[in-house]
């Protein structure tokens, strides 16, 4: 179906209208700003918008969407620009609508263990604020220091704690959003249970700014666990490390984090993060970072003993036990910086593969075999406990020709392998711009068309975040 994606250019009249809505100091068209807001953390893409607008309330966003519909101008919403699939890139130009001024934590409801925030609040700031009340918001993407909660909801972001506590999707109770046609609605209710018509809240989660613009979110919170322990488990076989993951859960233990890093990822990240507080032995090929948390320290030590025995059965080397805050922080810094470290080493393409946990060894083996056949190297790390492997394909000295022509075939094979293992093509980073072309690997045309119809119902003029997911 041919989608009309020709849009009108931004006229001076529209710019004047935008200034009336948000004020002249919140409208930018200088090259530096257009360039800065025309990129996120996805490869080295830059798509300059015609104008950058910073809004600060739902009423302003609604007025902007009404104006954009009237003049047929595309609008791309942007949280903090930390996305990894191009979801905030203004690929059709138009208005880049920044939500960075939506930065208020509106309420922390300690009676109901809920919180209401504006969508531009930074994840880590929110986590630290709720901790002051003895409460816990578990979703902790690697970029938690800079990513916005609205962007987390738009992608149903994960992070290390998802293996025990679930992803963003599991904590969203209600959303205030502005529809692409400029209506302001609340999608659900501030309740732990909901069965009142179609669940528009859960439809908005993961919609990557294509079905509406998130302005407020009501999150569920948990009591903050009192203690946690962290183990670094080295392996001379990456596959054995992956096999040990499934065995841990089958033994009845659910760690609060179970992360995997291949050797190159470890080396590159330690160098990049400047954390070299343990010796990486030459024979190590991978490591698992395993955390347990809870309120009874003796139970945590018991869990660590059980996990250690399972790791030993899978041939691990001596386990490094981190029980001081500094040791934990240093190990987590190496894990959290690995994405930046790998990307600073080479041109790359990142695939956010996800399979049933026990298939992780088969996935890793398959990725390496496909890489050999197509001549590309990959550096893998990720949330082993969720079966979520971040495969960073490294360009290295591959020619541009091979990189552009051959690589998509290799990526297709990786995604087909995921599907054959019961998995899919993104666990947490989303589809956005860069994974769009691969969606038919996992969805038949009928299902693709269903998703296009849903998009059209919300956005009949097709002006919100064009070029993403199914358009
Ligand atoms: C992580 O788990 C992030 O580290 C990926 O989801 C970060 O690859 C990255 O840039
Ligand atoms: Zn991740």
């Amino acid at each position: 179906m041919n989608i009309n994606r020709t849009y009108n250019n931004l006229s001076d009249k529209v710019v004047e209208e935008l200034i009336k809505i948000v004020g002249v100091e919140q409208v930018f068209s200088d090259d530096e700003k257009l360039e800065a807001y025309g990129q996120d953390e996805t490869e080295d893409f830059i798509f300059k918008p015609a104008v950058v607008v910073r809004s600060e309330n739902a009423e302003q966003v609604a007025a902007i969407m009404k104006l954009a519909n009237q003049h047929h101008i595309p609008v791309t919403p942007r949280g903090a620009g930390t996305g990894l699939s191009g979801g905030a890139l203004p690929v059709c130009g138009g208005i880049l609508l920044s939500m960075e001024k939506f930065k208020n934590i509106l309420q922390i409801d300690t009676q109901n263990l809920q919180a209401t925030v504006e969508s531009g609040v930074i994840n880590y700031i929110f986590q630290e604020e709720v901790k002051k009340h003895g409460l816990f918001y578990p979703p902790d993407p690697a970029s938690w220091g800079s990513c916005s909660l609205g962007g987390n909801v738009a992608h149903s972001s994960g992070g290390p704690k998802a293996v025990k506590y679930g992803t963003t999707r599991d904590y969203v109770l209600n959303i205030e959003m502005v529809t692409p046609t400029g209506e302001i609605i609340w999608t659900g209710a501030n309740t732990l249970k909901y069965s009142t018509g179609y669940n528009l809240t859960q439809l908005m989660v993961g919609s990557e700014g294509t079905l509406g613009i998130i302005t407020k979110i009501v999150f569920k919170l948990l009591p903050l666990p009192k203690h946690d322990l962290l183990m670094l488990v080295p392996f001379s076989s990456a596959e054995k490390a992956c096999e040990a993951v499934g065995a841990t859960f089958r033994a009845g233990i659910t760690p609060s984090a179970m992360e995997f890093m291949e050797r190159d990822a470890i080396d590159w990240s330690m160098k990049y993060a400047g954390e070299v507080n343990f010796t990486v032995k030459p024979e190590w090929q991978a490591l698992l970072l395993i955390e347990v948390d809870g309120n009874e320290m003796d139970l945590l030590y018991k869990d660590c003993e059980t996990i250690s025995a399972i790791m030993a059965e899978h041939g691990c080397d001596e386990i490094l036990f981190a029980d001081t805050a500094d040791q934990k922080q240093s190990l987590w810094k190496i894990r959290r910086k690995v994405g930046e470290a790998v990307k600073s080493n080479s041109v790359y393409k990142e695939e956010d593969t996800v399979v049933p946990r026990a298939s992780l060894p088969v996935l890793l083996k398959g990725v390496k075999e496909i890489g050999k056949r197509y001549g590309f190297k990959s550096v893998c790390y990720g949330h082993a406990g969720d079966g979520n492997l971040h495969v960073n394909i490294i360009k290295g000295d591959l020619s541009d020709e091979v990189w552009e022509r051959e690589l998509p075939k290799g990526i297709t094979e990786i995604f087909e392998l995921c599907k054959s293992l019961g998995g899919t093509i993104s666990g947490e980073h989303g589809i956005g711009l860069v994974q769009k072309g691969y969606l038919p690997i996992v969805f038949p045309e009928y299902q693709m068309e269903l998703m296009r119809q849903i998009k059209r119902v919300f956005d009949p003029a097709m002006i919100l975040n064009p070029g993403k997911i199914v358009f």
Side-chain angles (χ1 to χ4, degrees):
M1 195 187 101
N2 178 31
I3 300 297
N4 161 22
R5 263 190 275 168
T6 49
Y7 298 100
N8 294 329
N9 292 326
L10 200 71
S11 64
D12 293 346
K13 180 174 179 326
V14 169
V15 174
E16 278 162 31
E17 291 301 316
L18 289 171
I19 289 171
K20 274 189 209 146
I21 296 167
V22 296
V24 66
E25 68 289 349
Q26 304 307 338
V27 178
F28 307 90
S29 46
D30 60 286
D31 218 40
E32 188 194 344
K33 278 278 190 308
L34 298 184
E35 188 141 325
Y37 283 88
Q39 52 194 306
D40 61 10
E41 293 297 327
T42 310
E43 299 174 39
D44 51 2
F45 291 113
I46 296 183
F47 293 88
K48 282 189 200 171
V51 69
V52 173
V53 175
R54 294 192 315 191
S55 60
E56 60 181 12
N57 60 52
E59 291 68 24
Q60 287 181 352
V61 174
I64 291 165
M65 291 316 297
K66 288 191 167 82
L67 178 70
N69 271 283
Q70 194 188 335
H71 294 272
H72 200 58
I73 292 168
V75 177
T76 302
R78 183 184 199 269
T82 60
L84 296 163
S85 55
L89 297 175
V91 296
C92 294
I95 299 166
L96 186 287
L97 178 57
S98 173
M99 305 299 285
E100 63 196 275
K101 288 171 69 68
F102 282 75
K103 54 178 184 264
N104 298 306
I105 297 174
L106 300 172
Q107 186 200 22
I108 296 177
D109 176 351
T110 53
Q111 296 303 307
N112 290 300
L113 273 62
Q114 294 180 9
T116 305
V117 301
E118 290 186 321
S119 52
V121 170
I122 300 304
N123 180 298
Y124 192 73
I125 289 175
F126 178 54
Q127 297 228 10
E128 290 303 296
E129 196 55 38
V130 300
K131 273 185 191 161
K132 291 175 189 168
H133 300 267
L135 298 176
F136 179 36
Y137 175 71
D140 60 338
S143 56
W144 66 349
S146 50
C147 61
S148 73
L149 291 168
N152 292 171
V153 172
H155 289 80
S156 191
S157 298
K161 291 253 195 294
V163 64
K164 177 173 180 181
Y165 292 101
T167 65
T168 302
R169 180 177 301 285
D170 302 304
Y171 293 84
V172 180
L173 298 177
N174 202 357
I175 292 171
E176 179 192 70
M177 65 179 265
V178 177
T179 67
T181 51
E183 307 303 324
I184 303 173
I185 62 169
W186 281 94
T187 57
N190 303 356
T191 53
L192 297 174
K193 298 173 85 169
Y194 187 89
S195 186
T196 311
Y198 295 124
N199 192 326
L200 297 186
T201 304
Q202 287 300 323
L203 178 60
M204 277 301 289
V205 179
S207 62
E208 299 181 21
T210 61
L211 301 183
I213 299 172
I214 298 169
T215 45
K216 292 189 183 77
I217 310 148
V218 180
F219 285 116
K220 174 178 82 172
L221 302 172
L222 300 177
L224 182 65
K226 290 191 178 65
H227 311 293
D228 60 66
L229 295 174
L230 186 63
M231 299 192 288
L232 182 151
V233 189
F235 287 84
S236 53
S237 154
E239 271 180 57
K240 282 283 182 204
C242 290
E243 285 165 14
V245 171
T248 304
F249 291 85
R250 290 193 293 273
I253 301 214
T254 303
S256 48
M258 192 152 208
E259 298 292 298
F260 168 84
M261 294 171 76
E262 263 190 312
R263 177 57 190 256
D264 281 341
I266 303 165
D267 292 343
W268 292 358
S269 190
M270 285 177 81
K271 191 158 154 260
Y272 182 85
E275 293 287 344
V276 276
N277 58 3
F278 60 88
T279 312
V280 180
K281 291 185 185 170
E283 64 271 22
W284 290 1
Q285 286 309 306
L287 68 78
L288 293 178
L289 201 53
I290 306 174
E291 181 192 80
V292 290
D293 72 353
N295 296 326
E296 307 291 335
M297 213 40 168
D298 55 346
L299 295 181
L300 296 188
Y301 281 118
K302 198 169 170 316
D303 279 351
C304 285
E305 278 168 30
T306 309
I307 294 170
S308 303
I310 293 167
M311 297 297 133
E313 284 162 18
H314 290 79
C316 76
D317 195 353
E318 188 187 348
I319 294 174
L320 181 73
F321 202 84
D323 53 4
T324 69
D326 284 353
Q327 287 172 329
K328 293 174 193 172
Q329 197 173 16
S330 170
L331 291 179
W332 274 120
K333 186 176 172 188
I334 292 166
R335 171 58 187 89
R336 287 185 176 277
K337 286 291 177 193
V338 68
E340 291 171 43
V342 170
K343 292 166 172 64
S344 69
N345 263 281
S346 162
V347 172
Y348 71 95
K349 277 197 183 300
E350 177 163 30
E351 311 314 326
D352 175 29
T353 63
V354 62
V355 293
R357 180 190 296 141
S359 300
L360 200 61
V362 178
L363 172 63
L364 181 68
K365 189 160 177 274
V367 164
K368 297 303 174 185
E369 281 167 2
I370 294 165
K372 274 205 192 91
R373 265 190 288 114
Y374 284 88
F376 63 71
K377 173 185 167 76
S378 60
V379 177
C380 300
Y381 52 87
H383 318 287
D386 303 324
N388 185 196
L389 191 67
H390 299 321
V391 178
N392 275 257
I393 299 170
I394 304 298
K395 184 169 189 286
D397 51 13
L398 289 178
S399 71
D400 290 353
E401 167 64 9
V402 168
W403 188 250
E404 296 308 326
R405 182 175 41 78
E406 286 304 298
L407 187 61
K409 296 176 196 164
I411 293 171
T412 297
E413 285 200 37
I414 289 173
F415 285 153
E416 283 168 345
L417 172 62
C418 290
K419 184 185 177 189
S420 73
L421 295 171
T424 190
I425 71 174
S426 174
E428 56 180 20
H429 297 168
I431 299 303
L433 172 71
V434 294
Q435 306 301 3
K436 261 175 57 176
Y438 300 107
L439 267 182
I441 294 172
V442 287
F443 294 129
E445 176 50 25
Y446 177 75
Q447 223 161 324
M448 294 294 294
E449 184 54 24
L450 271 183
M451 289 195 270
R452 292 186 197 108
Q453 297 284 2
I454 290 170
K455 164 67 178 173
R456 263 193 221 96
V457 164
F458 280 81
D459 184 11
M462 307 301 290
I463 61 160
L464 183 61
N465 209 359
K468 310 294 169 58
I469 308 184
V470 287
F471 279 104

